[in-house]
Amino acid sequence: MPRVRHFLAALAAFALLQAAPASAEEAVCSVVDKVPLERHLRQLSLDLLGRPPTIEEYRAFQAKGSITAEDIQQMMDSEGFYERMRGYHRALLRSNINASVFDNGDTRLTGTGAIAAGTTVNNPYGFRNTTSSSLRGNNNQGCDAFIPQDTCNSQKQDPHAEPANKVCRDEQGVPLPVSYDYDTTSYYACNRLDSTDTTITDCTVAVSKGAIAAKYLYFCDMRRLSDNKLHPHLCLPDPAKNTTVALTQEELDSGGKVVAFVHPNPPSGTSLTRLDRCTLDLTLRNGIKGAWVPQRGCFQREGFVTRSGPFFATDPSAQVTVCAIEAQERPSNPWTMESCETTRFRSDRSCGCGKDMRRCEVTAVHTARVDAINKEQELITDSVVRHDEPYFNILTTRRSFVNGTLSEMYRQQQGVGIFTITSPANPDVVPSVPYAQASTWTEYTRDPQHSGVLTTPSFLYRFPTQRARVNHFYEAFLCKTFVPSSDPLPPPEDNCNRENNLARRCGCNYCHATIEPTGAHWGRFDERNSLFLTEEKFPRFDPKCRDCALAGDTNCGGECSQYVMQAYDGDGAASLGMLKTYLYRTADEEANIAGGPQLLVRRMLQTGDLERCAVKRVWSEFLGRPMTAEEQRLYLQELSEDFSAHNHSLKSLIQKLVTTDAYRRID
């Protein structure tokens, strides 16, 4: 908008000069001190409202003859001004986490949930991505949309090879495979048997008609094609693949049927030495019940169930079809007791998507969550500006807002494995807003550790490390940047170069002596996510983690990822079992961790840097360029003091600025 204004300013100036009845010398040498009324009105309307004046507004102010402070205040009380300020803060805070949230689609559901009707077949919700490899045998494999899980014997895809009575679920109710296909992606080549003889309707007929040898009956696969019908295929190890070309020896059962293809003389280190016939039996990883692995060379599919819709459905009460694995709601694996509330739920066939399918999402849900997280910061800043509160409340207030998307995510603990976010308040006190009401925003108060926009998921994800958070705080609110020293570094053999503490390492300490202590204010907020590390769950020191570290077990059952588990220097050795954020910290820095970002803001308010930076940023926004050295001498101190005297009112600062000679003159 400022660029448009300056272009129009130049155009207006040119028009004035062309129209002036003065001499050529006067036109060149005379100085226009201030823009005319119409130009000033246009500047104000574009800068404050984001639009040019209407014809009616031009006429009204021409008749009035001036623009008063009351007129400017009236503009700043309009929705156009608040929208303009939301855009200003959106740019200032870089509110866009779309590229900051790691989402490989592994919790993304495909399918529509449609139930078969007429010529339409079931289209159950389910994973068809990398996750399906550990559940069904390969990527892009969904469940069997034709066989109901709980009446799995009502239909048989391969009756010639399946048991007389299939087991639909194990003793704990975990769904088991109800059909299989041979994997043509990596292992087998399958030839259709009914292409030229449509009377070959199944594998038994294929054997009776001599289409295949009887010994290959178990490698005859009834495969469902695009016509949604089953067709017989003979599937043998693919001779065109390096991994299977050597599997030439046939292993027979007592009835003379081939049950495996094996390598006759496998060299040492050969990864694939045999392929067994596909069955409905799952393999147990390391012999552990509850740790299932699909059979190698096979797609093993569970069936579908019919249930009420997911939380994101237009009508969640309507019945839909869901793959039986994804339809489960367990909090943990019933055999191993491993949690289903972490990213591992995606590859554990006993977990599922949880109640109302809260652990899973579709593309529209992910987009809605990103949009809502981005908008939260804008609403926090808008509420401060709209109520004319002290401007720096945007950095300290606990007030925030949720719409249906965020309310459901916090209250129902949705987004497992994609959004690692601690609910900003106890889920029970987060306002209950139905998921479908994405445009309804409700105010609430976050827990005490929160500090304005500085602890929102948007800020924490957008600036994923303590150092990144410090850097943006300095740039956006102090108008300062970190620039390396120009002093030469000591020689490589100097011990200072091997210092692990960057606040002390030569060369690095020029910036990090400030960055590290300042970053400690975000010490209880995890990096690369929006998880708050409470003292109850994450104490400063954990003796169990220390004991694991001393025993060389750096994993410690996956419970100590936030703790120092390896030592690289004396400080590290003395800090084993300590929460990582406390490593290399002084007593003052530990106080910063306890005080959080609110403490940082309070300290910066005592320096005057926040006020001066706010003046510079608003000046740059409304004049379209930074303050010159001369303008800083003339205006910076005066505007900063006036800003402070008016209780840090942003509206007061803007009104003061747009009435300065600098704003009104033609440059």
Side-chain angles (χ1 to χ4, degrees):
M1 202 64 70
R3 292 181 179 177
V4 173
R5 204 189 74 202
H6 286 307
F7 170 76
L8 294 171
L11 192 62
F14 177 75
L16 286 170
L17 291 173
Q18 289 293 96
S23 66
E25 183 177 357
E26 289 173 337
V28 172
C29 299
S30 62
V31 177
V32 179
D33 292 328
K34 294 182 180 179
V35 296
L37 174 69
E38 294 78 9
R39 165 68 183 281
H40 190 207
L41 175 61
R42 185 176 181 85
Q43 287 180 198
L44 288 170
S45 186
L46 288 170
D47 286 340
L48 298 179
L49 307 179
R51 63 168 178 80
T54 64
I55 294 297
E56 291 74 17
E57 287 169 337
Y58 272 125
R59 288 172 177 166
F61 279 100
Q62 284 173 337
K64 186 177 181 180
S66 66
I67 301 172
T68 65
E70 289 73 20
D71 296 325
I72 295 173
Q73 185 61 51
Q74 187 175 2
M75 290 185 185
M76 290 193 293
D77 287 337
S78 70
E79 283 302 318
F81 173 75
Y82 296 127
E83 177 60 33
R84 176 81 171 82
M85 290 297 96
R86 287 195 293 272
Y88 166 74
H89 287 104
R90 186 185 310 128
L92 181 67
L93 295 167
R94 303 178 192 171
S95 303
N96 187 353
I97 67 165
N98 192 52
S100 303
V101 177
F102 178 70
D103 178 26
N104 56 13
D106 283 351
T107 61
R108 195 72 53 82
L109 297 170
T110 58
T112 63
I115 298 176
T119 58
T120 303
V121 299
N122 293 326
N123 189 6
Y125 287 114
F127 294 138
R128 286 179 177 270
N129 42 41
T130 305
T131 297
S132 61
S133 180
S134 58
L135 298 176
R136 302 180 182 108
N138 210 333
N139 297 352
N140 302 316
Q141 297 301 316
C143 60
D144 192 314
F146 294 83
I147 302 179
Q149 184 68 37
D150 295 311
T151 55
C152 65
N153 284 294
S154 62
Q155 297 184 46
K156 293 188 177 182
Q157 180 169 306
D158 291 278
H160 62 282
E162 295 179 12
N165 287 295
K166 293 186 285 189
V167 179
C168 303
R169 296 179 184 267
D170 72 4
E171 305 95 306
Q172 297 287 352
V174 178
L176 299 176
V178 299
S179 66
Y180 64 77
D181 278 321
Y182 284 87
D183 181 354
T184 57
T185 305
S186 306
Y187 301 99
Y188 290 93
C190 293
N191 296 314
R192 184 173 171 180
L193 301 177
D194 64 348
S195 297
T196 57
D197 186 352
T198 57
T199 65
I200 301 177
T201 55
D202 59 41
C203 292
T204 303
V205 174
V207 171
S208 67
K209 284 183 168 262
I212 62 171
K215 68 176 182 177
Y216 292 131
L217 180 63
Y218 293 150
F219 286 86
C220 181
D221 186 15
M222 297 298 292
R223 303 174 70 87
R224 199 176 297 277
L225 303 183
S226 58
D227 61 358
N228 291 318
K229 296 179 181 179
L230 294 171
H231 299 269
H233 292 70
L234 177 62
C235 299
L236 299 175
D238 191 345
K241 290 184 170 62
N242 293 333
T243 54
T244 54
V245 66
L247 302 181
T248 57
Q249 184 173 310
E250 298 175 353
E251 187 175 293
L252 307 180
D253 65 4
S254 59
K257 293 183 176 61
V258 178
V259 293
F261 289 91
V262 300
H263 197 304
N265 188 25
S268 176
T270 302
S271 61
L272 182 62
T273 60
R274 69 179 289 136
L275 281 176
D276 290 289
R277 58 165 286 209
C278 288
T279 68
L280 300 178
D281 297 328
L282 293 165
T283 303
L284 296 181
R285 184 185 295 111
N286 300 322
I288 301 173
K289 196 156 190 177
W292 301 274
V293 180
Q295 186 181 343
R296 193 170 194 179
C298 309
F299 302 146
Q300 295 174 299
R301 302 186 180 93
E302 85 283 14
F304 71 91
V305 300
T306 302
R307 52 163 288 174
S308 58
F311 70 90
F312 51 81
T314 304
D315 180 8
S317 65
Q319 294 291 290
V320 296
T321 54
V322 183
C323 290
I325 290 177
E326 285 83 336
Q328 297 171 103
E329 301 180 352
R330 290 186 184 85
S332 61
N333 184 309
W335 294 101
T336 66
M337 303 311 296
E338 293 174 283
S339 175
C340 290
E341 297 299 335
T342 66
T343 55
R344 64 170 303 281
F345 91 88
R346 303 176 300 200
S347 57
D348 187 332
R349 71 183 297 114
S350 73
C351 286
C353 290
K355 186 177 184 296
D356 299 325
M357 303 187 74
R358 64 178 178 82
R359 288 194 283 255
C360 301
E361 63 179 21
V362 294
T363 300
V365 170
H366 183 80
T367 301
R369 287 171 176 165
V370 169
D371 291 345
I373 289 171
N374 287 339
K375 190 168 183 178
E376 180 191 12
Q377 288 194 133
E378 296 175 31
L379 295 179
I380 292 173
T381 60
D382 178 80
S383 67
V384 171
V385 175
R386 189 179 293 268
H387 296 104
D388 204 18
E389 298 175 7
Y391 177 61
F392 299 113
N393 279 8
I394 70 170
L395 304 178
T396 59
T397 183
R398 290 168 55 193
R399 178 174 62 243
S400 192
F401 303 83
V402 291
N403 64 348
T405 306
L406 292 182
S407 173
E408 285 285 292
M409 185 164 73
Y410 294 148
R411 289 174 61 85
Q412 305 302 327
Q413 298 177 325
Q414 296 174 353
V416 176
I418 298 298
F419 295 93
T420 306
I421 299 176
T422 300
S423 177
N426 187 306
D428 293 336
V429 302
V430 172
S432 178
V433 184
Y435 176 81
Q437 296 182 14
S439 59
T440 300
W441 289 87
T442 303
E443 181 179 321
Y444 75 109
T445 301
R446 296 174 292 172
D447 286 343
Q449 72 269 15
H450 282 282
S451 185
V453 299
L454 300 178
T455 57
T456 59
S458 180
F459 188 87
L460 298 175
Y461 266 109
R462 183 64 180 81
F463 307 103
T465 65
Q466 292 179 16
R467 293 162 185 161
R469 294 161 190 170
V470 171
N471 185 68
H472 192 68
F473 178 82
Y474 265 65
E475 179 186 335
F477 298 106
L478 301 180
C479 296
K480 297 179 180 180
T481 56
F482 292 98
V483 180
S485 172
S486 58
D487 295 340
L489 294 174
E493 60 272 14
D494 193 308
N495 286 334
C496 183
N497 291 313
R498 291 185 286 277
E499 172 63 59
N500 288 312
N501 184 351
L502 295 184
R504 295 202 299 256
R505 184 186 298 176
C506 38
C508 300
N509 58 0
Y510 185 79
C511 295
H512 285 272
T514 298
I515 293 174
E516 303 308 313
T518 309
H521 292 91
W522 282 273
R524 280 281 169 182
F525 291 89
D526 196 16
E527 298 192 328
R528 295 174 179 83
N529 56 53
S530 184
L531 183 68
F532 181 67
L533 307 177
T534 64
E535 293 185 18
E536 293 75 21
K537 290 185 178 180
F538 299 94
R540 181 181 182 277
F541 175 76
D542 190 324
K544 178 182 177 181
C545 295
R546 178 204 55 200
D547 294 344
C548 282
L550 291 174
D553 180 7
T554 57
N555 185 47
C556 203
E559 298 181 20
C560 297
S561 61
Q562 298 288 349
Y563 288 83
V564 178
M565 300 300 288
Q566 290 179 291
Y568 299 98
D569 55 22
D571 288 337
S575 302
L576 292 176
M578 182 182 290
L579 200 64
K580 287 178 182 177
T581 192
Y582 286 94
L583 182 61
Y584 303 129
R585 297 300 188 192
T586 65
D588 288 342
E589 290 173 47
E590 292 203 16
N592 292 348
I593 295 174
Q598 288 187 4
L599 176 61
L600 173 63
V601 176
R602 289 198 299 270
R603 286 174 172 169
M604 291 300 105
L605 278 171
Q606 296 172 6
T607 67
D609 287 341
L610 284 170
E611 290 97 334
R612 286 186 288 273
C613 183
V615 169
K616 290 178 181 178
R617 290 216 168 273
V618 171
W619 180 286
S620 182
E621 179 71 13
F622 283 81
L623 273 78
R625 56 172 177 76
M627 275 183 155
T628 64
E630 179 64 13
E631 287 168 339
Q632 289 191 44
R633 186 184 68 80
L634 292 173
Y635 298 105
L636 182 57
Q637 190 64 26
E638 177 188 348
L639 290 173
S640 298
E641 291 176 354
D642 189 81
F643 183 35
S644 180
H646 285 82
N647 200 28
H648 294 135
S649 164
L650 184 65
K651 288 183 177 181
S652 175
L653 171 60
I654 292 172
Q655 180 162 343
K656 183 77 173 178
L657 186 147
V658 298
T659 56
T660 62
D661 291 342
Y663 182 83
R664 291 204 57 181
R665 69 169 176 255
I666 295 179
D667 294 330

